């Protein structure tokens, strides 16, 4: 698997349109010692999206199932309401990636963030709707709109990032994963605290308003792009052998993370008899290594492109090994212990980062090697394809096989811990 430096997109900044494409390519091939003003603005925009969208996405876990039960919604339907986000995210990512150039990267980014903020606020007023089918239908509608907004913003964000940092894709993506992890970790306790203190509406109104406040900021600081639509397609991209393998990697990565939410919490509660409030804290053993190791692995991936395939291979092997020891598997004849479980979670977080970070630059290199034209069109295809596969890995019904309830045990545990320590 030979790797080549990622070439600069022929797309140029609107405010610097007088710079020729050849000069732009030469500038991109040089290693800048510090970020330009435009690059810093793009990093701020992407970080605000990653953190804000993940906080808004994760606040439902601690209290929505309980509120839905009051409205006469069965636990099965609650599970489908949670799951429809991933389904619509999957479908929309493909569409947004295909028509990124026609819609415009900046407009798609801003519009997606605006939609996410609005529907988050709307979710806070759903408890005022009549019980039964009307409430359920509105939940599905608002959740689907949230997924569409997130897919649009995320697809545009990754495309803009890759275009702005052609020589440091993995480093930038890895750095921004820190904000994604922070949003997922902080969302449930923030939402649980606001719900406990002020009721159902306030968490959604507060966090949705924060997301909306980011819209005018990004309208000002995010540069415009001009690009010409190309004839490349998802089918032409996914039939490339290397890209097909990377697609399996991204699907497996998201499936592994989604699998751990309901199953591991049950295992910890039943096997180690830990207090419920500490279960959510145990999951930090996975989230923190993933978030903290991503920037380092991204930097290593950009500096040594030849190591990317080894990161993917070692990461996949280490992930498999961790899953064997999490139980552990009966064939190992090892007694399950808490220290072993936490150690495997830490290693698993690091291994998942090894898989996720090199995927984008490797896919783009493969496309360039096989004749794809440079520009936002290709970056939109890659972002949309991988965003869709990531969402597909999360499209599962998560059912408690004993209590027959659908909910996220990790978030519920964090909320219970907050409830116990609150005055």
């Amino acid at each position: 698997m030979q790797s080549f430096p990622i070439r600069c997109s022929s797309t140029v900044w609107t405010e610097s349109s007088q710079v020729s494409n050849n000069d732009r390519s030469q500038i991109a091939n040089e290693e800048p010692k510090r970020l330009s003003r435009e690059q810093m603005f793009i990093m701020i925009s992407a970080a605000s999206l990653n953190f804000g969208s993940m906080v808004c996405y994760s606040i439902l876990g601690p209290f929505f199932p309980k509120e839905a039960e009051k409205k006469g919604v069965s636990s099965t339907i609650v599970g489908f309401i949670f799951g429809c986000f991933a389904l619509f995210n999957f479908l929309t990512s493909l569409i947004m990636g295909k028509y990124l150039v026609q819609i415009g990267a900046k407009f798609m980014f801003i519009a997606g963030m605006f939609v996410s903020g609005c529907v988050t606020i709307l979710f806070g007023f759903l408890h005022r709707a009549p019980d039964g089918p009307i409430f359920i239908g509105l939940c599905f509608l608002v959740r689907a709109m949230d997924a569409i907004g997130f897919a649009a913003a995320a697809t545009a964000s990754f495309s803009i990032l890759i275009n702005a940092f052609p020589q440091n894709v993995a480093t930038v993506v890895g750095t921004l994963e820190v904000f994604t992890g922070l949003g997922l970790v902080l969302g449930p306790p923030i939402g649980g605290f606001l719900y406990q203190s002020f009721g159902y509406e306030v968490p959604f109104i507060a966090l949705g308003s924060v997301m909306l406040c980011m819209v005018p900021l990004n309208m000002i600081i995010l540069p415009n792009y001009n690009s010409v639509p190309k004839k490349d397609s998802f089918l032409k991209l996914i039939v490339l052998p290397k890209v097909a393998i990377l697609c399996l990697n991204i699907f497996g990565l998201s499936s592994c993370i989604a699998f751990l939410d309901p199953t591991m919490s049950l295992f910890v509660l039943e096997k180690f008899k830990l207090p419920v409030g500490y279960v959510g804290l145990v999951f930090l053993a996975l989230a923190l290594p993933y978030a903290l190791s991503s920037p380092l692995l991204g930097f290593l991936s950009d500096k040594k492109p030849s190591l990317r395939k080894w990161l993917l291979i070692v990461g996949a092997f280490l992930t498999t090994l961790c899953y064997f020891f999490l139980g552990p598997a009966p064939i190992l004849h090892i007694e399950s212990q808490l220290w072993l479980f936490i150690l495997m979670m830490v290693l698993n977080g690091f291994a998942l980062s090894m898989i996720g970070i090199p995927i984008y630059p490797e896919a783009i290199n493969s496309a360039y090697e096989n004749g794809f034209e440079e520009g936002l069109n290709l970056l939109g295809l890659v972002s949309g394809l991988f965003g869709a596969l990531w969402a597909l890995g999360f499209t599962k019904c998560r059912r408690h096989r004993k209590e027959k309830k659908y909910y996220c045990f990790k978030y519920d545990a964090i909320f219970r811990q907050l409830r116990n320590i609150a005055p």
Side-chain angles (χ1 to χ4, degrees):
M1 183 187 300
Q2 189 176 4
S3 300
F4 299 89
I6 297 179
R7 295 177 289 179
C8 180
S9 169
S10 58
T11 306
V12 298
W13 298 106
T14 299
E15 62 185 51
S16 303
S17 58
Q18 60 266 52
V19 180
S20 67
N21 290 349
N22 291 334
D23 291 338
R24 178 68 59 178
S25 298
Q26 293 175 0
I27 294 172
N29 287 330
E30 297 177 0
E31 289 291 338
K33 295 183 179 181
R34 61 177 60 184
L35 296 179
S36 67
R37 180 184 178 188
E38 290 84 358
Q39 288 175 325
M40 291 187 64
F41 285 161
I42 291 174
M43 288 285 289
I44 293 173
S45 297
S48 67
L49 172 68
N50 286 13
F51 181 78
S53 60
M54 289 298 101
V55 169
C56 291
Y57 168 80
S58 60
I59 61 173
L60 284 179
F63 51 85
F64 177 74
K66 178 182 177 182
E67 293 293 329
E69 185 179 354
K70 295 178 182 178
K71 304 291 288 185
V73 182
S74 67
S75 56
T76 301
I77 300 299
V78 172
F80 284 120
I81 292 174
F82 274 92
C84 78
F85 183 95
L87 177 61
F88 279 89
N89 194 359
F90 164 71
L91 297 174
T92 309
S93 294
L94 295 175
I95 298 174
M96 297 299 177
K98 175 65 176 177
Y99 296 102
L100 174 71
V101 174
Q102 291 85 342
I103 297 173
K106 180 176 180 177
F107 177 81
M108 185 182 290
F109 183 97
I110 299 298
M113 181 173 284
F114 178 78
V115 170
S116 294
C118 289
V119 297
T120 299
I121 294 175
L122 286 176
F123 220 104
F125 293 97
L126 290 184
H127 72 295
R128 299 176 181 268
D131 297 356
I134 296 180
F135 174 79
I136 294 173
L138 289 175
C139 286
F140 276 108
L141 177 61
V142 174
R143 192 68 167 162
M145 290 300 298
D146 192 13
I148 293 172
F150 174 77
T155 300
S157 175
F158 272 110
S159 302
I160 293 172
L161 279 171
I162 297 171
N163 192 82
F165 297 89
Q167 303 297 321
N168 303 284
V169 176
T171 302
V172 173
V173 172
T175 302
L176 292 174
E177 282 300 295
V178 175
F179 295 93
T180 301
L182 285 175
L184 287 173
V185 170
L186 296 179
I190 291 175
F193 175 77
L194 292 176
Y195 170 78
Q196 180 181 339
S197 302
F198 304 103
Y200 177 81
E201 296 180 358
V202 172
F204 297 100
I205 296 175
L207 297 178
S209 298
V210 172
M211 180 70 82
L212 288 180
C213 289
M214 298 177 185
V215 172
L217 172 65
N218 286 289
M219 291 177 66
I220 297 173
I221 69 174
L222 194 63
N224 286 307
Y225 277 96
N226 286 330
S227 187
V228 179
K230 304 296 192 306
K231 296 181 179 180
D232 297 325
S233 64
F234 281 114
L235 180 60
K236 183 180 176 182
L237 179 65
I238 201 171
V239 296
L240 301 178
K242 185 187 293 186
V243 174
I245 295 174
L246 294 174
C247 287
L248 291 177
N249 275 271
I250 199 74
F251 175 78
L253 173 64
S254 63
S255 298
C256 288
I257 296 176
F259 167 78
L260 288 174
D261 271 349
T263 56
M264 288 299 99
S265 54
L266 286 175
F267 179 79
V268 170
L269 287 171
E270 296 174 3
K271 189 70 176 180
F272 304 120
K273 310 300 181 183
L274 288 179
V276 177
Y278 288 96
V279 176
L281 301 179
V282 170
F283 273 85
L284 294 179
L286 176 72
L288 288 181
Y290 177 82
L292 296 178
S293 63
S294 293
L296 176 61
L297 291 174
F299 178 79
L300 182 63
S301 179
D302 284 330
K303 291 298 181 182
K304 301 289 184 181
S306 60
L307 294 179
R308 290 173 187 159
K309 64 178 180 181
W310 295 111
L311 290 176
L312 290 167
I313 293 172
V314 174
F317 175 78
L318 187 57
T319 301
T320 303
L321 190 66
C322 289
Y323 273 83
F324 265 93
F325 280 90
L326 275 177
I331 61 174
L332 298 178
H333 302 288
I334 299 175
E335 183 180 355
S336 179
Q337 299 182 48
L338 181 59
W339 69 267
L340 180 62
F341 171 80
I342 294 177
L343 176 61
M344 290 300 106
M345 290 285 281
V346 171
L347 293 177
N348 196 22
F350 181 71
L352 294 176
S353 180
M354 295 175 69
I355 299 173
I357 298 305
I359 286 180
Y360 277 94
E362 278 299 297
I364 296 170
N365 282 335
S366 178
Y368 286 155
E369 294 167 15
N370 288 274
F372 277 75
E373 297 184 48
E374 301 176 6
L376 277 179
N377 192 75
L378 171 61
L379 302 182
L381 291 177
V382 174
S383 300
L385 177 61
F386 285 169
L389 289 169
W390 180 272
L392 186 63
F394 271 84
T395 308
K396 300 177 178 68
C397 287
R398 302 174 183 180
R399 187 175 187 181
H400 189 321
R401 57 184 176 85
K402 291 184 177 181
E403 298 182 12
K404 300 181 180 180
K405 292 183 179 180
Y406 291 79
Y407 59 92
C408 180
F409 297 91
K410 177 175 64 173
Y411 300 154
D412 183 63
I414 294 176
F415 174 59
R416 293 187 189 182
Q417 176 69 5
L418 286 172
R419 185 177 58 190
N420 290 335
I421 64 177

